[in-house]
Amino acid sequence: MTTVTKWALAAAVLVVALIVALLPRGGPDTAAKPSEDLAPARSAAALQPCPPSSPAAPVKQLEGVRADCLGDGGSVDVGKALAGAPVLLNVWASWCEPCKTELPVLQEYTKQPGAVRVLGVQVQSPAEDGLNLLAKLGVHLPSVFDGGGQAGPVRTALKVPSSLPASYLVTAAGEVRFIANPRVFGNTDQVRAAVAGAGEGKP
């Protein structure tokens, strides 16, 4: 090997080493950082655990759709988590003013006899903002974080309208029914009536 070749080889190795040094660091530390940053907000929000996967057949419209559990950062298979029993799915964002009125109503509804499960879906807003809002409102509903802005996987699968909040009843048979009336729940009576109506196939 000539001296020139050796010098060229050494220079190439140096360039590669420099490129590697300048690359963003990956690995467990980077992956864990968002969770560590959200730990205080998650602790303050004290959300109920996200539902586990059910052995029942997954909800077809949400089959294979995954989202992060807002309360602990774990991955949730939404189609499997909603399977086998009726669930009221409520899509909200931290900047949405009507959502701030509706979320406490849904929290109160869950305490009533015969209430179906409620799962919140935070969209179009940072997870930390959502956690801070829930803590401020005293709402501890299990919620998932649907990242991706307008193209979040849950939002896309449900074809969520641009105006929020938006609620859906997922029936025990796995049908997903949009609740159009009312669009915003002002009291628990409205929630009960809408869930009953959607369960009977009424919009």
Side-chain angles (χ1 to χ4, degrees):
M1 186 180 290
T2 67
T3 303
V4 173
T5 305
K6 287 179 181 176
W7 276 108
L9 184 60
V13 169
L14 260 170
V15 169
V16 170
L18 184 61
I19 291 171
V20 169
L22 292 174
L23 285 174
R25 299 295 179 186
D29 290 342
T30 301
K33 194 172 187 298
S35 294
E36 291 168 3
D37 290 345
L38 289 175
R42 285 182 170 139
S43 177
L47 301 188
Q48 296 168 10
C50 289
S53 292
S54 166
V59 176
K60 190 168 184 181
Q61 191 171 337
L62 292 161
E63 189 169 4
V65 173
R66 303 195 76 90
D68 293 334
C69 182
L70 191 57
D72 62 18
S75 181
V76 177
D77 185 318
V78 181
K80 290 182 178 179
L82 300 181
V87 183
L88 180 62
L89 206 56
N90 180 253
V91 183
W92 59 276
S94 61
W95 46 259
C96 163
E97 290 301 323
C99 300
K100 297 174 185 178
T101 300
E102 184 176 75
L103 285 165
V105 172
L106 293 173
Q107 172 82 68
E108 189 61 31
Y109 162 75
T110 61
K111 299 175 183 176
Q112 298 184 350
V116 302
R117 293 183 298 158
V118 175
L119 179 68
V121 181
Q122 184 196 348
V123 300
Q124 293 186 303
S125 50
E128 185 172 13
D129 290 356
L131 288 163
N132 290 341
L133 174 63
L134 294 176
K136 181 180 177 181
L137 296 174
V139 172
H140 308 290
L141 296 171
S143 297
V144 296
F145 177 70
D146 187 41
Q150 293 280 1
V154 180
R155 187 179 172 88
T156 300
L158 292 174
K159 299 179 174 63
V160 175
S162 56
S163 59
L164 297 177
S167 292
Y168 300 79
L169 180 72
V170 181
T171 69
E175 296 178 55
V176 180
R177 296 171 179 167
F178 177 63
I179 297 175
N181 185 27
R183 278 300 307 277
V184 181
F185 296 123
N187 56 62
T188 56
D189 289 340
Q190 290 179 337
V191 182
R192 282 198 309 273
V195 168
E200 294 168 0
K202 300 174 185 175

